[in-house]
Amino acid sequence: MDFFFLWLKITFLLLSRFLFLQIDHFGFDENLTFQQRYLVADQHWKKDNGPILFYTGNEGDITWFCNNTGFMWDVAEELNAMLVFAEHRYYGESLPFGNESFSDSKHLNYLTSEQALADFAVLIEYLKMTIPGARYSPVIAIGGSYGGMLAAWFRMKYPHVVVGALAASAPIWQFGDLVPCGAYFSIVTDDFKKSGTGCSESIRNSWNAINRLSSTDAGLQWLSNTFHLCSPLKSLQDAAVLKNWLSETWVNLAMVNYPYKADFLQPLPAWPIQEVCKFLKDPSLSDKLLLQNVFQAVNLYYNYSGQASCLDMSETATKNLGQLGWYYQACTEMVMPMCTDGINDMFEPQKWDFDALSEECYRLWGVRPRPSWILSMYGGKNISSHSNIVFSNGGLDPWSAGGVTQNITDSLVAIVIPDGAHHLDLRSRNPLDPKSVQQARALEICYMKQWIEKARHNH
Amino acid sequence: MDFFFLWLKITFLLLSRFLFLQIDHFGFDENLTFQQRYLVADQHWKKDNGPILFYTGNEGDITWFCNNTGFMWDVAEELNAMLVFAEHRYYGESLPFGNESFSDSKHLNYLTSEQALADFAVLIEYLKMTIPGARYSPVIAIGGSYGGMLAAWFRMKYPHVVVGALAASAPIWQFGDLVPCGAYFSIVTDDFKKSGTGCSESIRNSWNAINRLSSTDAGLQWLSNTFHLCSPLKSLQDAAVLKNWLSETWVNLAMVNYPYKADFLQPLPAWPIQEVCKFLKDPSLSDKLLLQNVFQAVNLYYNYSGQASCLDMSETATKNLGQLGWYYQACTEMVMPMCTDGINDMFEPQKWDFDALSEECYRLWGVRPRPSWILSMYGGKNISSHSNIVFSNGGLDPWSAGGVTQNITDSLVAIVIPDGAHHLDLRSRNPLDPKSVQQARALEICYMKQWIEKARHNH
């Protein structure tokens, strides 16, 4: 990754900049500003109003998204486009109150999608006013995951700022009762089911094996040793943490089940679920043998480099993601109902429990989630009056459960990539890319060209 | 007016209700709610998803707007529509913090157009969920003046909530440098110019007459007596107040220059500017004679009923308008540049002075206006990707200077009513209505029917 980043810097002269923005766009009492970071690469940009591809940063350090969105770099030359990567407030270096940003609910009060979209709008207007030759540049929003939701919502709410949006793996319908709460984990399960005989069944059986072992101190000790845990398990509650950690690991593997060696959430081999499933062929093994295999499987995810001396349950993915900020967002606007039943999925059954979430959020942050607000704000499934949004989804990606996978209108278009995991299409071209993602990218570029052409024509 | 209101209550069973809404839709730190008032009349509503005409309340008591929007009452039966009039937060009885609402910038922090639109969206969703038979009712936003801006912006930002909007006399372009700052006062001047020979010239000459007289104590005394002022003028500054008050009076007359006797801002005769101009035929009179005529003219505006013992310069219009709230809004989001040059208009030359406004706002409220925010938020002139908005404008109305007076697309339509003052089309049908307003209303109804029909079809 570092090498790739260096390469970008050399080839594209990536510039890191900051702009002062209002901390509160929607109120006038506090007139404070903060510095939002954004990255610009204009090597391929055609000066007289060539297009701008604008990455709507999501919950993490923007340089990391910049490194993992090779698609934009790949098409910059073809579109004569400037690339801009805007960091989302409260992540990376764009902290409204510096080290105090997460100190309490007062300081966190401005961490919302609406404020982030307003940041993007003001930034783009600033760029168009200050960069010579950019005044009439058509801007296209691009984002993946939460960034994809932001890209779609940005086009919906600020169509005067962006002529279109590519929303990759954006689960804009994972809210309220728009989709079944179990669909997400059922896709994870399918990924494992088709990656090896006995695989999903082994995982399904592992939960009770852990339950049985964690009922005794000796069992807890055995689990701690077997899983090479940095902090040993001491109680049944710790065993629940272990199970959550394992669940998250399977979910993450489903998200990054890419067809080639990659380092997104963790460094991993090609088709990592197939690799993991090689350890999980026999679901009928005894508890201890089964769980030793489960360890081999998760060890592949956490320790592919072989450097970890122990496994730390407090981290499941790259540190570039801003966990704290995202937890707050999940406790306020981003309430995404999820559930498992152990039948259609390989997880322990767990109902969606909004009240428990609300209590937890109040305990952690002193805030209560508002589960219907996102629907009121962004329209739920009733979005047909908008235009120029491409929603791309990976068939292997659990987030496709809440994504737009069927065309809504001629200009609200869904692209499904059957062999794709989480926003595979946003990654750099790779010789091992399946045909489906190549076609998806070609179609995405085709739509982008249409939007640019139309904007030129209108101007 | 009272009689009309009573009549409405009897005929339509107007119900006044309240709904608890978030004080801050855009932040989660304060989880407080307030009671928003809204009025419902459903006598003509067809229960199985008949349409809802939704008045997006502006800066005043909602019952007053309800009384002055007879058009909605007139078409309710034809459209089988329910009428809902929603009060704007911080006006009428919808005060988020009761008597404390205007106490300081902290309490005023939630008085923005964005919060008001969110109120409307949540209210409509609540009505659709709770009124039996309303679940799939198409909703049309209707508003006049600032309420018209809200109606248009509501359709732009929440097209999933309203299928279309009638924005009457909505100066959505009276911001930034979208229109010349002098256009507004130049329309006022034209109204006077064509309403009587010598009329606008008399007013133009009056300013220097006042300036000359107010240079001495005796002159100030004479002015106070002549204008029957409740508080006598004591200084040159007071004379400036007098001139502002007179200017506002001429502006208000231009807004309510209706073709029949009416009581909107004040009780007035038909075509009040013509009446006023009967006193202002000779611009070449001496200062004192000219100003005595000016008094006769303003006295017609302030004292048509003949009951006022003196004229109070602190009030220029009905008390139903929430002046305090609107001043705050003009000091934050609603920054509308205005200027005069004394050549294209009949006023004393005055440049647009943003810095002075900003200082005044800081002194009054401790806030600074953000003149470009409305443009960033609502798109300025770049709104062609939206749909289903009718912008109606009166040719006599100064606010038409900042209005949309030409079609933007097939479904962003401008209607101009040459003989109309400020949202004449929203008033009740009247035998003295000019043909132009009758046609405008017919076209508005036609568009509303189309929107309803299309919504039915889509559903």
Side-chain angles (χ1 to χ4, degrees):
Chain A
M1 195 159 76
D2 287 337
F3 168 76
F4 178 65
F5 191 44
L6 251 176
W7 172 81
L8 286 180
K9 277 197 163 158
I10 293 160
T11 320
F12 282 94
L13 297 164
L14 184 67
L15 298 169
S16 178
R17 290 177 182 153
F18 288 88
L19 177 66
F20 279 103
L21 293 171
Q22 292 290 149
I23 289 182
D24 188 4
H25 293 283
F26 302 104
F28 292 75
D29 178 38
E30 304 271 11
N31 209 17
L32 303 171
T33 56
F34 76 105
Q35 287 194 295
Q36 187 187 38
R37 181 165 58 152
Y38 61 101
L39 313 176
V40 176
D42 59 4
Q43 176 143 322
H44 291 297
W45 185 54
K46 210 172 130 215
K47 235 190 177 182
D48 58 337
N49 304 316
I52 297 173
L53 304 185
F54 185 92
Y55 188 87
T56 49
N58 33 324
E59 72 284 19
D61 188 299
I62 193 62
T63 57
W64 182 68
F65 291 112
C66 177
N67 284 342
N68 281 282
T69 313
F71 173 68
M72 285 170 64
W73 300 89
D74 288 340
V75 300
E77 187 168 3
E78 183 175 351
L79 298 177
N80 299 312
M82 186 193 306
L83 305 184
V84 178
F85 295 85
E87 193 159 67
H88 191 298
R89 53 167 60 202
Y90 287 87
Y91 295 100
E93 297 184 6
S94 302
L95 302 176
F97 302 101
N99 291 338
E100 299 291 298
S101 298
F102 293 89
S103 58
D104 56 31
S105 65
K106 280 246 165 312
H107 289 87
L108 278 160
N109 195 43
Y110 311 99
L111 172 48
T112 65
S113 62
E114 292 85 355
Q115 299 276 9
L117 294 181
D119 290 339
F120 297 154
V122 174
L123 170 58
I124 289 174
E125 285 175 349
Y126 167 80
L127 295 175
K128 290 177 113 178
M129 293 307 287
T130 54
I131 298 176
R135 181 128 194 201
Y136 301 107
S137 287
V139 183
I140 292 173
I142 297 180
S145 198
Y146 169 50
M149 302 203 279
L150 291 173
W153 293 337
F154 196 31
R155 169 64 189 169
M156 293 182 199
K157 295 292 183 182
Y158 296 85
H160 53 286
V161 177
V162 286
V163 301
L166 169 56
S169 298
I172 62 164
W173 289 345
Q174 191 68 48
F175 296 95
D177 57 1
L178 298 181
V179 297
C181 62
Y184 178 91
F185 285 99
S186 147
I187 293 174
V188 177
T189 303
D190 287 346
D191 291 349
F192 283 80
K193 201 182 278 178
K194 60 190 170 199
S195 296
T197 314
C199 192
S200 66
E201 210 46 51
S202 295
I203 293 170
R204 186 182 278 116
N205 291 349
S206 71
W207 312 116
N208 271 333
I210 294 173
N211 291 342
R212 284 187 287 267
L213 279 159
S214 56
S215 64
T216 68
D217 286 348
L220 287 169
Q221 183 63 45
W222 184 89
L223 287 167
S224 306
N225 292 339
T226 303
F227 281 96
H228 295 212
L229 299 180
C230 301
S231 322
L233 309 175
K234 301 230 161 105
S235 64
L236 264 177
Q237 278 172 330
D238 288 351
V241 173
L242 171 68
K243 290 188 288 182
N244 279 337
W245 175 71
L246 291 172
S247 294
E248 257 187 74
T249 308
W250 309 135
V251 164
N252 284 352
L253 275 162
M255 282 169 61
V256 296
N257 194 24
Y258 296 129
Y260 46 80
K261 199 177 163 199
D263 179 359
F264 185 53
L265 301 178
Q266 296 278 358
L268 287 172
W271 296 118
I273 296 185
Q274 281 181 20
E275 296 304 313
V276 156
C277 284
K278 287 177 183 164
F279 300 108
L280 301 170
K281 291 181 175 168
D282 188 354
S284 65
L285 290 173
S286 70
D287 288 353
K288 287 193 172 175
L289 288 176
L290 182 70
L291 291 176
Q292 278 168 346
N293 288 345
V294 168
F295 164 72
Q296 296 296 332
V298 295
N299 192 51
L300 185 137
Y301 178 80
Y302 289 108
N303 197 16
Y304 186 55
S305 64
Q307 314 230 311
S309 59
C310 62
L311 302 190
D312 178 357
M313 291 195 298
S314 69
E315 275 186 19
T316 57
T318 169
K319 284 184 184 168
N320 289 300
L321 283 169
Q323 284 197 356
L324 211 55
W326 185 251
Y327 286 166
Y328 174 83
Q329 291 194 263
C331 271
T332 49
E333 290 188 309
M334 299 297 153
V335 185
M336 301 181 163
M338 301 273 189
C339 62
T340 49
D341 63 8
I343 298 161
N344 296 296
D345 55 66
M346 64 189 187
F347 297 90
E348 276 195 307
Q350 185 137 30
K351 286 209 170 71
W352 168 243
D353 186 346
F354 174 75
D355 292 337
L357 173 74
S358 182
E359 286 310 310
E360 180 70 0
C361 293
Y362 193 74
R363 194 180 66 77
L364 280 171
W365 310 101
V367 297
R368 296 280 181 191
R370 296 180 196 153
S372 65
W373 170 241
I374 285 285
L375 302 171
S376 301
M377 186 65 192
Y378 299 115
K381 291 205 167 178
N382 189 0
I383 56 174
S384 62
S385 63
H386 299 290
S387 62
N388 294 7
I389 307 175
V390 168
F391 297 93
S392 66
N393 290 280
L396 305 177
D397 180 16
W399 291 111
S400 68
V404 178
T405 53
Q406 300 205 309
N407 289 4
I408 296 172
T409 65
D410 281 357
S411 74
L412 292 182
V413 176
I415 296 178
V416 177
I417 305 158
D419 308 315
H422 203 40
H423 48 69
L424 173 62
D425 48 335
L426 290 192
R427 301 184 64 80
S428 292
R429 284 174 191 142
N430 189 293
L432 294 172
D433 275 332
K435 191 84 189 146
S436 61
V437 77
Q438 294 173 16
Q439 286 174 345
R441 289 192 190 119
L443 194 52
E444 288 161 9
I445 294 167
C446 177
Y447 278 107
M448 291 198 276
K449 284 182 177 169
Q450 280 179 23
W451 301 334
I452 293 164
E453 219 32 68
K454 206 182 158 201
R456 287 254 164 71
H457 183 76
N458 287 347
H459 169 64
Chain B
M1 197 159 75
D2 287 337
F3 168 75
F4 178 66
F5 191 45
L6 252 178
W7 172 80
L8 286 181
K9 275 197 163 158
I10 291 161
T11 321
F12 281 94
L13 296 164
L14 184 67
L15 296 169
S16 178
R17 289 177 182 154
F18 288 88
L19 177 66
F20 279 103
L21 293 171
Q22 293 289 150
I23 288 182
D24 188 4
H25 293 283
F26 302 104
F28 292 76
D29 179 37
E30 304 270 10
N31 210 16
L32 303 171
T33 56
F34 77 105
Q35 287 193 294
Q36 186 189 39
R37 181 165 57 152
Y38 61 101
L39 313 176
V40 176
D42 60 3
Q43 177 143 322
H44 290 297
W45 185 55
K46 210 171 130 216
K47 234 188 178 185
D48 59 336
N49 304 316
I52 296 173
L53 304 184
F54 185 91
Y55 188 88
T56 49
N58 34 323
E59 72 283 18
D61 187 301
I62 194 62
T63 58
W64 182 68
F65 291 112
C66 177
N67 285 341
N68 280 282
T69 313
F71 173 68
M72 284 170 65
W73 299 91
D74 287 341
V75 300
E77 188 169 2
E78 183 176 350
L79 298 177
N80 299 313
M82 186 193 307
L83 305 184
V84 178
F85 296 84
E87 193 159 66
H88 191 297
R89 52 167 61 201
Y90 287 87
Y91 296 99
E93 296 183 7
S94 301
L95 302 176
F97 301 101
N99 291 338
E100 299 290 298
S101 298
F102 293 89
S103 57
D104 56 33
S105 65
K106 279 246 167 312
H107 289 86
L108 278 159
N109 194 43
Y110 311 98
L111 172 49
T112 66
S113 62
E114 292 85 355
Q115 299 275 9
L117 294 181
D119 290 339
F120 296 154
V122 174
L123 170 57
I124 289 173
E125 285 175 350
Y126 167 80
L127 295 175
K128 291 176 114 178
M129 294 306 286
T130 55
I131 297 176
R135 180 127 194 202
Y136 301 107
S137 287
V139 183
I140 292 173
I142 297 180
S145 198
Y146 169 50
M149 301 203 279
L150 291 172
W153 293 337
F154 196 31
R155 169 64 189 169
M156 293 181 199
K157 294 293 183 183
Y158 296 84
H160 53 288
V161 178
V162 286
V163 301
L166 169 55
S169 297
I172 62 164
W173 289 345
Q174 191 69 48
F175 296 95
D177 57 1
L178 297 182
V179 296
C181 62
Y184 178 91
F185 285 100
S186 146
I187 293 174
V188 177
T189 303
D190 288 345
D191 291 349
F192 282 80
K193 201 182 277 177
K194 60 189 169 200
S195 296
T197 313
C199 193
S200 66
E201 211 45 52
S202 294
I203 293 170
R204 186 183 278 115
N205 292 348
S206 71
W207 311 115
N208 272 333
I210 294 172
N211 290 342
R212 284 186 287 268
L213 279 159
S214 56
S215 64
T216 68
D217 284 349
L220 287 170
Q221 182 65 45
W222 185 88
L223 287 167
S224 305
N225 292 341
T226 302
F227 281 95
H228 293 211
L229 299 180
C230 301
S231 322
L233 308 175
K234 301 231 162 102
S235 65
L236 263 177
Q237 279 173 330
D238 289 351
V241 173
L242 171 67
K243 289 188 287 182
N244 278 337
W245 176 69
L246 290 173
S247 294
E248 256 189 76
T249 309
W250 309 135
V251 164
N252 284 352
L253 274 161
M255 282 168 61
V256 297
N257 194 23
Y258 295 129
Y260 45 80
K261 198 175 163 201
D263 178 359
F264 185 53
L265 301 178
Q266 296 278 359
L268 287 171
W271 297 117
I273 296 186
Q274 282 182 20
E275 297 303 314
V276 156
C277 284
K278 286 178 185 165
F279 299 109
L280 301 169
K281 291 181 174 167
D282 187 354
S284 64
L285 290 173
S286 71
D287 288 353
K288 287 193 172 176
L289 287 176
L290 182 70
L291 292 176
Q292 278 167 346
N293 287 345
V294 168
F295 164 71
Q296 295 296 331
V298 295
N299 192 51
L300 184 136
Y301 178 79
Y302 289 108
N303 196 15
Y304 186 56
S305 64
Q307 314 230 311
S309 59
C310 63
L311 301 190
D312 178 358
M313 291 194 300
S314 69
E315 275 187 18
T316 57
T318 169
K319 284 183 184 168
N320 288 300
L321 282 170
Q323 285 198 356
L324 210 55
W326 185 250
Y327 286 165
Y328 174 84
Q329 290 195 262
C331 271
T332 49
E333 289 188 308
M334 300 296 152
V335 185
M336 301 181 164
M338 301 273 191
C339 63
T340 50
D341 63 8
I343 298 161
N344 296 296
D345 56 65
M346 63 190 187
F347 297 90
E348 275 194 307
Q350 184 138 30
K351 287 210 169 74
W352 168 242
D353 187 345
F354 174 75
D355 292 337
L357 172 75
S358 182
E359 287 310 310
E360 179 71 358
C361 293
Y362 193 73
R363 196 180 64 77
L364 280 172
W365 309 102
V367 297
R368 297 279 182 192
R370 296 181 196 152
S372 65
W373 170 241
I374 285 286
L375 302 171
S376 302
M377 186 65 192
Y378 299 114
K381 290 205 167 177
N382 190 1
I383 55 174
S384 62
S385 63
H386 300 289
S387 62
N388 294 7
I389 307 176
V390 168
F391 296 94
S392 66
N393 290 280
L396 306 177
D397 180 16
W399 290 111
S400 68
V404 179
T405 53
Q406 301 206 309
N407 288 4
I408 297 171
T409 66
D410 282 356
S411 74
L412 292 182
V413 176
I415 296 178
V416 176
I417 306 159
D419 308 314
H422 202 41
H423 48 67
L424 173 62
D425 48 334
L426 291 192
R427 301 185 64 79
S428 292
R429 284 175 189 142
N430 188 294
L432 294 172
D433 274 333
K435 191 83 188 147
S436 61
V437 77
Q438 292 173 16
Q439 286 174 345
R441 289 193 189 118
L443 193 51
E444 288 161 9
I445 294 167
C446 177
Y447 277 106
M448 291 198 275
K449 284 181 177 170
Q450 280 179 23
W451 301 334
I452 293 165
E453 218 33 66
K454 203 180 160 204
R456 287 253 164 70
H457 183 76
N458 287 347
H459 170 63

